[in-house]
Amino acid sequence: MNIAKNLELLCRTIPARVKVIVVSKTQKPETLMEAYNAGHRFFGENKVQELAFKASALPPDIQWHFIGHLQTNKVRMIAPFIHMIHGIDSMKLLKEVDKEAGKTGRVIPCLLQLHIASEETKFGLDIQEAFQILESPEYRAMRNIRIHGLMGMATYTEDENLIRKEFGSLRNDFIKIKAAFFPSDDDFRELSMGMSGDYMIAIEEGSTMIRIGTAIFGERPKPITPAA
Ligand SMILES: *Cc1c(COP(=O)(O)O)cnc(C)c1O
């Protein structure tokens, strides 16, 4: 795998306004450094322990994005340094992020994760739940989080029409939420959608951040599991 070359090809095929989050989960620090040395500074991880280790071992100018399902009891470990949390999927989690961010004197940028896939398994809020959070007095009282936009994952399928429909529905949700709660807030501008298999469709549907692993690094190494 030529990581620098893959990144160069990727960046050449997408509009300059779209940010690439290099999804480095399960990859070794040396492998991340190949992307770093090619000029990339936005990295995405989905396990708290692994992220905390990599953040301590790698250069401090990396901006770390948490992209997976985050458990409330683990927020504390990443609150001091995380650049953005993409997967806010409950009021309980948002409250915890606000609390832990407050303890470290930070304001943490967050994205609300909306459930757009027809698959049952993916996490995320529906649009009514997102409205409920944003209308609530509790949310309005939060001083240590800032909602920068939405994140979503399409169904894992070959059916491009379905993927396009799902990303299109997320873009529509973005427009509705923007109009209702953030009409003059320039911070609310990110739409994190698109992975290796579907980022071209996501960009056509308005993505501003794509989260790419396999197309940069090749097939992911399996996490190490204890011998039986
Ligand atoms: C692993 C992961 C990605 C990247 O997936 P690839 O198909 O390897 O590009 C993107 N987003 C989330 C939330 C992930 O967990």
Side-chain angles (χ1 to χ4, degrees), residues 53-74:
F53 163 68
K54 286 175 179 170
S56 69
L58 290 163
D61 62 339
I62 291 178
Q63 298 185 352
W64 295 99
H65 292 245
F66 195 88
I67 59 166
H69 177 64
L70 179 57
Q71 291 172 271
T72 47
N73 63 351
K74 296 191 173 160

Side-chain angles (χ1 to χ4, degrees), residues 23 25 46 67-68 151 153 194-197 211-215 220:
V23 175
K25 61 191 187 193
N46 69 345
I67 59 166
M151 179 266 202
M153 292 170 82
M195 309 177 23
S196 293
R211 310 177 309 271
I212 307 292
T214 315
R220 258 183 291 286

Side-chain angles (χ1 to χ4, degrees), residues 19 147-149 174 178 185-191 208:
K19 294 191 237 350
I147 308 286
H148 282 237
F174 177 91
K178 173 94 182 156
D185 180 347
D186 290 339
D187 281 348
F188 189 90
R189 58 166 181 255
E190 304 293 358
L191 201 39
T208 67

Side-chain angles (χ1 to χ4, degrees), residues 97-111:
V97 174
D98 185 58
K99 188 180 96 193
E100 291 299 329
K103 285 188 195 165
T104 61
R106 300 188 63 217
V107 176
I108 298 181
C110 293
L111 304 180

Side-chain angles (χ1 to χ4, degrees), residues 2-182:
N2 188 331
I3 291 165
K5 191 147 186 205
N6 290 346
L7 276 161
E8 195 200 316
L9 282 173
L10 173 68
C11 292
R12 223 190 285 154
T13 54
I14 64 173
R17 63 176 173 82
V18 176
K19 294 191 237 350
V20 177
I21 312 300
V22 177
V23 175
S24 49
K25 61 191 187 193
T26 78
Q27 306 289 353
K28 294 199 290 273
E30 306 89 272
T31 310
L32 273 70
M33 282 309 291
E34 290 190 46
Y36 181 90
N37 289 330
H40 289 266
R41 295 294 180 272
F42 310 148
F43 289 79
E45 293 278 339
N46 69 345
K47 295 271 189 302
V48 164
Q49 261 98 355
E50 186 179 338
L51 169 54
F53 163 68
K54 286 175 179 170
S56 69
L58 290 163
D61 62 339
I62 291 178
Q63 298 185 352
W64 295 99
H65 292 245
F66 195 88
I67 59 166
H69 177 64
L70 179 57
Q71 291 172 271
T72 47
N73 63 351
K74 296 191 173 160
V75 171
R76 186 173 37 85
M77 285 184 70
I78 59 170
F81 67 88
I82 196 73
H83 185 72
M84 181 176 275
I85 297 175
H86 290 228
I88 300 292
D89 57 5
S90 71
M91 185 63 166
K92 185 173 162 224
L93 178 58
L94 194 62
K95 269 189 207 164
E96 183 67 14
V97 174
D98 185 58
K99 188 180 96 193
E100 291 299 329
K103 285 188 195 165
T104 61
R106 300 188 63 217
V107 176
I108 298 181
C110 293
L111 304 180
L112 296 180
Q113 181 171 358
L114 264 61
H115 184 277
I116 52 168
S118 31
E119 292 162 312
E120 275 298 314
T121 50
K122 303 251 162 81
F123 291 99
L125 305 159
D126 60 33
I127 180 115
Q128 288 82 7
E129 291 169 323
F131 265 72
Q132 275 164 23
I133 289 175
L134 296 170
E135 280 163 352
S136 69
E138 287 155 294
Y139 161 72
R140 286 165 197 228
M142 292 178 187
R143 293 291 169 265
N144 295 92
I145 54 98
R146 223 165 144 65
I147 308 286
H148 282 237
L150 306 181
M151 179 266 202
M153 292 170 82
T155 303
Y156 188 71
T157 174
E158 301 278 297
D159 182 351
E160 291 198 1
N161 290 326
L162 180 61
I163 295 171
R164 189 177 297 283
K165 197 177 117 226
E166 291 173 355
F167 285 147
S169 84
L170 187 59
R171 185 199 48 225
N172 288 338
D173 292 343
F174 177 91
I175 292 167
K176 282 184 210 156
I177 291 174
K178 173 94 182 156
F181 300 100
F182 304 94

